Amino acid sequence: MSRAADPRRVPPGRVRGLLVVSDSAAAKAEGRLAELIGSGRPVDEVGHSITLYRR
């Protein structure tokens, strides 16, 4: 199994597990990041500014 340092650089179907995104980045997300967030489901929050998405 290979691991991607940047999930925006591989096909979305290969991104699995947790995606950790700051709420400010999620709010202004475009392109691949928006696609990854949209196809994940929020599962938890860290503090008041980070959301964990399960893919």
Side-chain angles (χ1 to χ4, degrees):
M1 174 189 311
S2 63
R3 295 181 184 199
D6 187 344
R8 297 169 298 176
R9 300 194 186 279
V10 296
R14 293 191 56 200
V15 178
R16 300 200 192 314
L18 290 177
L19 182 65
V20 180
V21 183
S22 72
D23 293 344
S24 60
K28 59 185 176 184
E30 297 179 342
R32 180 62 60 87
L33 181 57
E35 183 179 353
L36 291 170
I37 292 170
S39 61
R41 68 179 166 88
V43 292
D44 204 355
E45 294 181 352
V46 178
H48 296 286
S49 62
I50 296 177
T51 301
L52 284 72
Y53 297 87
R54 170 80 58 198
R55 291 200 31 90

